[in-house]
Amino acid sequence: MLKLGFLGPKGTFSQEAMLQYAGGLKDYKAVEYGTINDLLLSVQDNIIDEAVVPIENSLEGAVNATLDMLASEVDVKIKAELAVTIRQNLLVAKDTDMKDIRCILSHPQAIGQCRKYIDSKFPGVQIKYVYSTAAAAEEVAGGDGSLAAIGSMAAADVYGLKVLAKDIQDGDTNITRFVVVSKEDGVRTGRDKSSIVFSTEDKPGSLYRILDIFNLWDINMTRIESRPAKNQLGRYIFFIDVLGHREDDDLADALKMVRRKVSFYKFLGSYPCLKEGYSAIER
Amino acid sequence: MLKLGFLGPKGTFSQEAMLQYAGGLKDYKAVEYGTINDLLLSVQDNIIDEAVVPIENSLEGAVNATLDMLASEVDVKIKAELAVTIRQNLLVAKDTDMKDIRCILSHPQAIGQCRKYIDSKFPGVQIKYVYSTAAAAEEVAGGDGSLAAIGSMAAADVYGLKVLAKDIQDGDTNITRFVVVSKEDGVRTGRDKSSIVFSTEDKPGSLYRILDIFNLWDINMTRIESRPAKNQLGRYIFFIDVLGHREDDDLADALKMVRRKVSFYKFLGSYPCLKEGYSAIER
């Protein structure tokens, strides 16, 4: 049976992503982890077979913990990606009403995603940042009736809370992209994407020269993300997603050239593209 | 008298950065703010004259709240930059010793910066994430003696705590870069940097073509950072720092060309380069 890891606690959108991916599996066992680090290390160490981890949100940006682990701490490959629409809700204890709310709790990202709703409905309310939307729901469940959490419908179920308002996020485009990691990446489907991470030499024009290689081979870049190299302020590593599979002739040749021109290179995997909501913006 | 805003509470590294910048001022009044949003809006609305805000850390990366505000929420300019070395310390109540510590509190970034120290000295200790290093220190000051905070020496002073271990961060390269924002940017010094933010049309090669412009005019790029465009997964805006002042002929011409080729463009300011620890890596 396939052991499939996800980032707990139950009731977060990471569990929802895991269930969405598991819907296509015959037989699996879900394993809950407390941190992205432990989750990815367990795949590397063969304790679990695959893991579903968040990598990017359409409002809040990159999930740095995932990028940093993939770049330098674990040797695993991306075999699939999936997108989950994030819908935030106002969750309260059974006998709490709008007028009773004195303090709103959630993860800073969730608070940020509902900023306009909070400012219009609860001007001046106290905001308390906690480590996860599920932790906020748990605290509200044990609170005195003046608290509200921002979180998922699943969190309302898990902690027995009432949903006072649905879909309170600013805008309708709050989507988190997750990747499935394993010891091997995906097989070629003809509609694939590949991810690499690299650092360039410390001289002018070095990033430009790498993008020039993709331009030369007509390879579309869908994403570039920089992260600090961590050894010096002003030095970076770059995550790039390009269209194509590592077995495609052109991409194979381009990546071979990229490897020559960089000071650090790591291939993160080829995997089928998401079918919707994700277009090629760059070459 | 110049009103100079900073991100509170007192005892954080943002206050340290403000004091470092204020050291070069004749006469000023420090004004404490609770959020980056309020701080930047107050500069725009002429409530304060200047503000010191964090923009990038050498281990943890970009400060997203600052980038997002500068891109789309406020009309202010960067007039200076400065770097502050972050030194984390283990702070406890007066009568707490190493063996008494059951729980370590801090901001997730500070915990992340001291991960190796915590794992080696306190394997299995409970970790509690709070919203700032100063909030952690405050909680330890009011706690039962089994708590420790990770934070600045200034926080130890402010909350009357004992410093049990100094410089516990992983590596010696933990530096935060701050920018000073105002209604006007910096005057030309001959050793300047300029910041812009833009988004490209949604077609292949559009980012490459922008970097091509800087290459054509021999302009060095020191940083590229992407943030989600927030209207669709897979669309981004790009922050780019280049060497030169907007009054330099070549940079003026290059930026004029960039404006032609992008769908959104905002100039964020020209300002003197940091003298150390910050080199031109890209063109």
Side-chain angles (χ1 to χ4, degrees):
Chain A
M1 194 189 305
L2 185 114
K3 284 186 203 146
L4 178 60
F6 72 101
L7 184 66
K10 288 183 182 66
T12 62
F13 295 102
S14 288
Q15 186 191 20
E16 207 170 308
M18 181 273 292
L19 292 172
Q20 183 178 315
Y21 174 68
L25 302 175
K26 266 194 190 147
D27 200 12
Y28 75 97
K29 186 184 166 216
V31 186
E32 183 180 327
Y33 280 83
T35 68
I36 288 173
N37 289 25
D38 290 345
L39 183 53
L40 290 174
L41 284 170
S42 290
V43 174
Q44 172 178 273
D45 299 344
N46 294 312
I47 296 165
I48 55 175
D49 301 297
E50 299 183 359
V52 179
V53 285
I55 196 162
E56 175 184 22
N57 175 269
S58 60
L59 297 180
E60 294 293 326
V63 179
N64 296 335
T66 301
L67 294 185
D68 290 354
M69 283 294 286
L70 290 177
S72 54
E73 301 290 328
V74 293
D75 188 21
V76 296
K77 294 279 181 288
I78 299 172
K79 65 170 287 186
E81 64 175 356
L82 61 156
V84 172
T85 301
I86 305 296
R87 298 188 188 285
Q88 302 288 6
N89 308 281
L90 192 69
L91 312 179
V92 295
K94 293 285 182 221
D95 52 357
T96 300
D97 214 339
M98 293 293 271
K99 63 173 174 22
D100 306 322
I101 296 171
R102 298 283 169 276
C103 178
I104 295 177
L105 291 74
S106 201
H107 185 273
Q109 281 205 348
I111 296 280
Q113 288 161 3
C114 303
R115 178 57 63 188
K116 286 176 189 162
Y117 173 85
I118 295 171
D119 287 349
S120 70
K121 300 283 184 187
F122 300 97
V125 74
Q126 192 195 344
I127 301 290
K128 187 177 165 192
Y129 294 109
V130 294
Y131 191 58
S132 74
T133 53
E138 191 178 1
E139 193 166 336
V140 168
D144 68 356
S146 72
L147 307 177
I150 290 176
S152 69
M153 298 294 280
D157 278 355
V158 171
Y159 297 100
L161 297 177
K162 182 169 74 173
V163 180
L164 210 51
K166 278 187 189 179
D167 279 2
I168 60 170
Q169 69 281 353
D170 306 336
D172 295 330
T173 53
N174 188 355
I175 297 169
T176 296
R177 189 164 66 95
F178 290 83
V179 292
V180 181
V181 303
S182 173
K183 293 308 273 281
E184 285 180 21
D185 61 349
V187 292
R188 191 173 178 281
T189 68
R191 275 185 56 85
D192 304 291
K193 204 156 86 174
S194 297
S195 298
I196 62 171
V197 52
F198 61 88
S199 62
T200 59
E201 294 162 71
D202 186 17
K203 58 185 189 188
S206 45
L207 176 63
Y208 172 77
R209 274 195 296 275
I210 301 304
L211 302 192
D212 206 18
I213 294 168
F214 293 121
N215 185 59
L216 197 64
W217 267 278
D218 294 316
I219 287 165
N220 288 336
M221 185 170 86
T222 59
R223 182 174 183 230
I224 179 169
E225 190 74 49
S226 70
R227 288 288 303 150
K230 308 206 173 192
N231 54 3
Q232 191 185 328
L233 183 65
R235 293 301 315 276
Y236 305 93
I237 59 173
F238 299 97
F239 291 80
I240 280 182
D241 290 352
V242 291
L243 294 187
H245 193 281
R246 61 180 160 76
E247 291 174 355
D248 296 348
D249 282 347
D250 278 2
L251 184 57
D253 289 347
L255 291 181
K256 195 169 150 193
M257 183 59 75
V258 168
R259 273 201 303 277
R260 275 199 206 171
K261 304 288 182 183
V262 295
S263 52
F264 158 75
Y265 175 88
K266 189 172 175 184
F267 181 74
L268 297 177
S270 294
Y271 47 95
C273 269
L274 272 181
K275 280 182 188 64
E276 51 187 353
Y278 213 70
S279 61
I281 56 157
E282 302 296 344
R283 178 168 62 198
Chain B
M1 194 190 306
L2 185 116
K3 286 185 201 147
L4 178 59
F6 73 100
L7 183 68
K10 288 182 183 66
T12 63
F13 296 101
S14 288
Q15 186 191 20
E16 208 169 308
M18 184 273 293
L19 293 171
Q20 183 177 318
Y21 175 68
L25 301 174
K26 266 192 186 146
D27 200 10
Y28 74 99
K29 186 185 166 213
V31 186
E32 182 182 326
Y33 281 83
T35 67
I36 288 172
N37 289 24
D38 290 346
L39 183 53
L40 290 174
L41 284 169
S42 290
V43 174
Q44 171 178 273
D45 298 343
N46 294 311
I47 296 165
I48 55 175
D49 301 297
E50 298 183 357
V52 179
V53 286
I55 196 162
E56 176 185 21
N57 174 269
S58 61
L59 297 180
E60 293 293 326
V63 179
N64 296 335
T66 301
L67 294 185
D68 290 353
M69 283 294 285
L70 290 177
S72 54
E73 303 289 327
V74 293
D75 188 22
V76 296
K77 294 277 180 289
I78 299 172
K79 67 170 285 185
E81 65 175 354
L82 59 156
V84 171
T85 301
I86 304 296
R87 299 189 188 284
Q88 302 289 7
N89 307 281
L90 193 68
L91 313 178
V92 295
K94 292 286 182 219
D95 51 358
T96 299
D97 215 338
M98 293 293 272
K99 63 174 175 18
D100 304 323
I101 296 170
R102 297 284 170 274
C103 178
I104 297 177
L105 291 74
S106 201
H107 185 275
Q109 280 204 348
I111 296 280
Q113 289 161 3
C114 304
R115 177 58 63 187
K116 284 175 190 164
Y117 174 84
I118 296 171
D119 287 350
S120 70
K121 300 283 185 185
F122 299 97
V125 74
Q126 191 194 345
I127 302 290
K128 187 177 164 193
Y129 294 109
V130 295
Y131 191 59
S132 74
T133 53
E138 191 177 2
E139 193 168 337
V140 168
D144 68 355
S146 71
L147 307 177
I150 290 176
S152 68
M153 297 295 278
D157 278 355
V158 171
Y159 298 99
L161 298 178
K162 181 171 74 173
V163 180
L164 210 51
K166 280 187 188 179
D167 280 1
I168 60 170
Q169 69 280 352
D170 305 335
D172 295 329
T173 54
N174 188 356
I175 297 169
T176 296
R177 189 165 67 97
F178 291 80
V179 292
V180 182
V181 302
S182 174
K183 294 306 273 284
E184 285 179 22
D185 61 349
V187 293
R188 189 172 179 284
T189 67
R191 276 184 56 88
D192 305 291
K193 202 157 88 173
S194 297
S195 297
I196 62 170
V197 54
F198 62 88
S199 62
T200 58
E201 295 161 70
D202 185 17
K203 59 185 189 187
S206 46
L207 176 64
Y208 172 77
R209 274 194 297 275
I210 301 305
L211 302 193
D212 206 18
I213 294 169
F214 293 120
N215 185 58
L216 196 63
W217 266 279
D218 294 317
I219 288 165
N220 288 340
M221 185 170 86
T222 59
R223 182 176 182 226
I224 180 169
E225 191 74 49
S226 71
R227 287 287 302 150
K230 307 207 174 193
N231 54 3
Q232 193 186 327
L233 183 66
R235 293 300 313 277
Y236 304 92
I237 60 174
F238 299 98
F239 291 79
I240 281 183
D241 290 353
V242 291
L243 294 187
H245 193 281
R246 63 181 158 75
E247 291 174 355
D248 296 348
D249 282 347
D250 278 1
L251 185 57
D253 289 347
L255 291 180
K256 197 169 146 192
M257 182 59 76
V258 167
R259 274 201 303 277
R260 275 199 206 171
K261 304 288 183 186
V262 295
S263 52
F264 159 75
Y265 175 88
K266 191 173 175 184
F267 181 74
L268 297 177
S270 294
Y271 46 94
C273 269
L274 273 181
K275 280 182 189 65
E276 52 186 352
Y278 212 70
S279 62
I281 55 157
E282 303 296 343
R283 179 166 61 196

